[in-house]
Amino acid sequence: MVLEKEIIRDEDFLGNCYRLPFYVAEEKLHGGKNFGSIRFYNPYLSFTVKVMVHQKSVLLKTVGIRRQKKHMLAELMQYYEAFRTKKISSSLWLKETKERVEKLMDLDDKDIGFKLFWVQLLITEERYNEAQWMLSQVDALLEAEFQPSLYCYYLYLTCLYNADEYYSQQVAGTINAIYQKQPDNWRIGWLLLYLPSDCNRRVSAKWNFILQLIEQGCHSPIMYMEALSLLNQSPSLLIHLQEAALRILLYGAKMQFLSEGLMQ
């Protein structure tokens, strides 16, 4: 077994919770059941968790990979929520996010979404040459298999890379045209919040746009975070307590991310 971390520190916990991912070295397994254990200890206590791995068919290995991907995606969301609610620093968020995206790309090197997320992290670190190289790779993949959400994400990243206002306006128009054909695709709508689009010209327009996405069925914490950030800055936006707004407030209470002005 390979542990992601052998030493756990206070800053590794999200609240009072810590998940310890571990990986199994497949080449060291024999057929049937394989036994091992992980020991946790500090100066005050010690306990052991037993692990059993059953070497089975290729189909079940695929299921295992799918489970690992799901687990790491859940962790990515947890770190994102902790970062947006200011429970962890941007540097810690970037470090933990990079580790998980690298592992996701190792698990599935054909996933375009993981590659695009990696490009965004490279741009965040100002590693522009590497970002450009990866973008050219993704461009070729999207030509072979067009996917609207990923194509729009790709265009958005080219805006970050080019940092040109006129180009960003052109891209915003292209993404908006795609969104008009798929108005229930919240991922495309989310990108418009960070581009020079109509929904982003006024705070009230931005709020109404996010409400519309949530009312249309978006349940992603990403969009709830966007809504809460707006409300915390401008509580006066909360004119009507429709169902979507109540769900946003409940989520904010759960995450302990409601400003004093909003609670009043």
Side-chain angles (χ1 to χ4, degrees):
M1 290 183 293
V2 180
L3 298 179
E4 186 177 82
K5 292 184 178 180
E6 295 189 359
I7 299 176
I8 304 171
R9 298 181 172 85
D10 289 345
E11 58 265 27
D12 294 321
F13 285 79
L14 293 178
N16 61 354
C17 179
Y18 175 74
R19 294 188 180 188
L20 178 69
F22 66 91
Y23 307 93
V24 176
E26 184 180 357
E27 67 278 4
K28 296 183 180 180
L29 295 177
H30 56 72
K33 296 180 179 180
N34 298 258
F35 296 92
S37 62
I38 301 173
R39 179 173 170 247
F40 297 84
Y41 63 93
N42 63 23
Y44 308 103
L45 60 86
S46 173
F47 63 93
T48 300
V49 177
K50 295 181 179 179
V51 179
M52 188 275 286
V53 179
H54 198 168
Q55 177 73 311
K56 292 185 178 180
S57 66
V58 174
L59 175 61
L60 289 178
K61 290 179 187 176
T62 302
V63 173
I65 290 174
R66 192 180 302 126
R67 187 179 295 114
Q68 285 185 60
K69 288 168 66 175
K70 185 177 180 180
H71 171 74
M72 277 186 276
L73 287 170
E75 285 196 330
L76 281 173
M77 185 60 72
Q78 286 182 325
Y79 277 106
Y80 178 76
E81 289 176 310
F83 165 59
R84 289 295 302 266
T85 55
K86 301 180 181 179
K87 292 182 174 68
I88 62 173
S89 66
S90 58
S91 58
L92 179 58
W93 168 80
L94 184 60
K95 172 181 174 292
E96 297 295 343
T97 299
K98 281 177 59 182
E99 288 180 6
R100 282 153 184 79
V101 176
E102 279 188 298
K103 288 171 183 173
L104 285 167
M105 290 193 297
D106 287 340
L107 286 173
D108 188 352
D109 60 359
K110 295 181 181 179
D111 191 293
I112 298 174
F114 299 157
K115 292 179 185 294
L116 288 172
F117 196 3
W118 185 248
V119 169
Q120 186 165 357
L121 296 175
L122 291 174
I123 293 173
T124 301
E125 293 185 312
E126 300 183 356
R127 294 160 61 184
Y128 297 115
N129 289 335
E130 295 170 76
Q132 183 184 33
W133 180 80
M134 184 70 81
L135 280 172
S136 64
Q137 276 195 326
V138 172
D139 187 24
L141 292 172
L142 286 171
E143 284 185 7
E145 183 184 357
F146 179 76
Q147 300 179 51
S149 295
L150 294 178
Y151 176 65
C152 290
Y153 188 18
Y154 163 80
L155 289 178
Y156 168 72
L157 292 175
T158 63
C159 287
L160 296 184
Y161 175 79
N162 288 292
D164 179 84
E165 185 177 351
Y166 177 71
Y167 177 74
S168 295
Q169 289 174 349
Q170 288 183 309
V171 166
T174 301
I175 292 178
N176 186 60
I178 295 173
Y179 176 72
Q180 294 305 318
K181 296 177 182 178
Q182 300 187 24
D184 58 341
N185 191 323
W186 70 265
R187 289 176 176 84
I188 299 177
W190 180 39
L191 297 173
L192 290 173
L193 296 176
Y194 290 90
L195 290 167
S197 59
D198 289 340
C199 69
N200 204 21
R201 297 190 190 283
R202 300 186 313 278
V203 174
S204 59
K206 193 172 185 178
W207 166 249
N208 289 328
F209 183 72
I210 293 173
L211 272 184
Q212 179 184 335
L213 290 171
I214 293 174
E215 287 169 353
Q216 289 173 175
C218 172
H219 299 290
S220 172
I222 291 174
M223 201 56 65
Y224 279 63
M225 279 293 172
E226 298 292 350
L228 282 169
S229 295
L230 282 180
L231 282 181
N232 283 333
Q233 293 174 10
S234 305
S236 59
L237 290 169
L238 198 63
I239 300 173
H240 304 292
L241 282 177
Q242 59 266 64
E243 184 182 347
L246 286 172
R247 293 209 305 267
I248 292 166
L249 291 173
L250 286 171
Y251 175 78
K254 175 186 173 184
M255 299 301 299
Q256 299 180 334
F257 190 54
L258 298 175
S259 67
E260 289 187 12
L262 182 58
M263 288 188 289
Q264 290 174 356

